[in-house]
Amino acid sequence: MPSAFAASTLSGVVTNKTTNKPSAGDDVTLIKLAQGMQESTKTKTDARGRFKLDVPDDGIHLVRVTHDKANYFRPVQPGADSVEVEVYNAAAKVAGITSEADVMRIQSDPSGAGLRIVENFFVKNESTPPMTQFSDRPFEFYLPAGAVVAGSAALGPGGMPVQAAPVPLGDQPNHFAFVFPIRPGETRFQITYTVPYSGSFQFAPHPVMPTDTIAIMMPKSMTFKAGPSAPYTAVTEETTAQTYVARNVQPSQPLEFTISGTGQLPRDAAAATPGTGGPQDTPSQGVQGQAPTGNDTRPGGGLGNPIDPEGSNDPWAKYKWWILGGLGLVLAAGAGFMVTTGGKGVAAAVPISPAAPVGVLGALKEEFFTLESDRLTGKITEAEYAEQRAALDVVLKRAIARDETPKV
């Protein structure tokens, strides 16, 4: 059978979307997606932002462009002879970056001797002109005293979740940074950690920038007590757990709260379980009895517009379905396609899906989310997980090779 890949040379152009001009002098690397990530040929863009790369085989490849030390990726289908990549100027601090939310999902372990916290940060970059914030500490955060990190991940605009290890900064106790570029659009960080527990624990959230919403979710069997000046209010619409929120928070604000008791959060079956009225079966189902909508933000239901974008009914509705099932970014490692970019555990995913998944690739992305969720909650064995994951990897590679791959 003749090879589907006819060209031996790949031509491309890199555009700097900060200046809307060709991007000259950028490093360009061809990466082969086979048995992991393998760097192949390299070159640089010329004065017109153009480049050419020798393609040694007919497999699936990525083009990685490094601009201002931040990496940008573009998948290349077998048989393609050209590619376009968009980059942004980067700076250590960029105006227009805001913190949308810090959402904490807290429960005790079954023994009651520890707490397990899944914390999600939602960061928006609306810089004008658009720029990427990137340095040795592009996003900083604090963890409680005694926290032990169990896992972490990041999701950039239009990308896939990837493992991204937090870096201790060393200047203050429990001060960390995610070394992950904050590109124009929304970036999400998730970190899972544990703290020792003896029946009561005081949290003191310490946001590093003004934050629209801080939300605390915990089992109903546990007790929440806000500090004397902490501005938390209860979200009464929630029926399976208790939730407290603080709005328009400033970094200097007192945000202490204490929890006591034990309990585990229930698995929200409708959020991710096929065949139970979840998103795979009824994607237009609303939240907590609201009117149905086609924009489903639940895990497995896509990443479309939030059901309640202004938070008028529920102050954290925009983030709820990423948190309820404990999915968040689920350490999906870019659906198996993770590229380590070197230094401090920085990673970047293949941008195979836009923010609102469509077509085959969108469906595959949600299948990965569901599979990882089933593994985390013990619904499938490790053997079943390995078998299903391998099958999805094969289908994903085939899908990337087809014309349905969206431009990013």
Side-chain angles (χ1 to χ4, degrees):
M1 179 181 295
S3 171
F5 194 83
S8 60
T9 300
L10 178 70
S11 300
V13 60
V14 180
T15 303
N16 185 332
K17 297 302 289 184
T18 302
T19 62
N20 285 319
K21 295 180 179 179
S23 191
D26 289 346
D27 291 322
V28 184
T29 304
L30 185 71
I31 297 174
K32 181 179 179 180
L33 297 180
Q35 304 299 319
M37 303 295 106
Q38 300 175 10
E39 291 189 1
S40 182
T41 53
K42 298 182 179 182
T43 188
K44 284 183 177 288
T45 56
D46 63 17
R48 297 187 297 168
R50 300 186 179 277
F51 65 87
K52 289 186 177 181
L53 288 168
D54 292 331
V55 181
D57 56 69
D58 60 356
I60 302 171
H61 297 82
L62 291 177
V63 168
R64 181 183 71 205
V65 177
T66 303
H67 180 81
D68 276 357
K69 299 183 180 180
N71 290 328
Y72 302 83
F73 294 85
R74 184 74 172 91
V76 179
Q77 304 172 33
D81 58 8
S82 64
V83 65
E84 297 180 3
V85 184
E86 296 178 350
V87 300
Y88 302 88
N89 286 348
K93 292 294 181 183
V94 173
I97 292 180
T98 58
S99 173
E100 288 189 283
D102 175 356
V103 184
M104 301 175 67
R105 185 177 185 269
I106 304 172
Q107 60 186 339
S108 67
D109 63 27
S111 70
L115 292 178
R116 177 181 173 85
I117 300 96
V118 180
E119 189 163 5
N120 287 262
F121 303 97
F122 296 76
V123 183
K124 182 183 293 185
N125 181 343
E126 295 182 317
S127 53
T128 304
M131 293 184 66
T132 292
Q133 180 164 294
F134 191 59
S135 65
D136 59 350
R137 51 174 69 190
F139 180 75
E140 301 178 38
F141 63 99
Y142 289 84
L143 294 181
V148 176
V149 176
S152 56
L155 173 64
M160 291 287 288
V162 299
Q163 295 172 335
V167 178
L169 295 179
D171 54 348
Q172 299 179 55
N174 312 303
H175 189 194
F176 296 85
F178 278 113
V179 186
F180 185 86
I182 301 178
R183 303 180 182 95
E186 184 179 77
T187 298
R188 308 176 187 186
F189 298 100
Q190 176 174 291
I191 185 164
T192 301
Y193 55 93
T194 59
V195 295
Y197 188 58
S198 58
S200 179
F201 191 91
Q202 184 181 69
F203 290 84
H206 185 178
V208 297
M209 68 178 82
T211 301
D212 293 343
T213 302
I214 291 181
I216 316 298
M217 183 181 180
M218 54 191 290
K220 287 197 167 184
S221 58
M222 301 182 78
T223 300
F224 177 95
K225 183 179 179 180
S229 302
Y232 294 102
T233 58
V235 176
T236 58
E237 292 90 346
E238 185 56 59
T239 60
T240 60
Q242 53 181 327
T243 304
Y244 299 85
V245 298
R247 300 301 304 273
N248 301 317
V249 172
Q250 299 300 314
S252 59
Q253 249 180 296
L255 296 167
E256 296 85 357
F257 65 92
T258 301
I259 66 167
S260 56
T262 59
Q264 287 78 51
L265 287 165
R267 170 70 178 165
D268 187 72
T273 305
T276 58
Q280 286 92 340
D281 302 298
T282 55
S284 62
Q285 181 178 342
V287 176
Q288 301 295 342
Q290 296 176 18
T293 175
N295 295 323
D296 192 344
T297 58
R298 292 170 292 177
L303 300 176
N305 295 327
I307 293 174
D308 180 21
E310 303 302 324
S312 55
N313 298 321
D314 181 340
W316 63 299
K318 181 175 180 179
Y319 322 106
K320 176 179 291 186
W321 293 111
W322 276 85
I323 312 305
L324 280 179
L327 285 180
L329 306 181
V330 298
L331 300 180
F337 291 164
M338 185 177 73
V339 183
T340 299
T341 62
K344 299 184 179 179
V346 184
V350 182
I352 62 169
S353 177
V358 294
V360 174
L361 290 172
L364 283 171
K365 179 175 180 178
E366 306 311 333
E367 286 299 322
F368 275 107
F369 282 142
T370 302
L371 178 61
E372 296 288 344
S373 172
D374 288 346
R375 181 195 191 189
L376 291 173
T377 56
K379 290 186 177 181
I380 59 176
T381 66
E382 284 296 323
E384 291 171 329
Y385 168 81
E387 180 182 2
Q388 295 178 37
R389 177 62 184 262
L392 283 175
D393 280 340
V394 171
V395 176
L396 180 59
K397 289 180 182 180
R398 289 175 60 87
I400 291 177
R402 300 179 61 180
D403 291 340
E404 287 188 54
T405 304
K407 180 179 178 181
V408 295

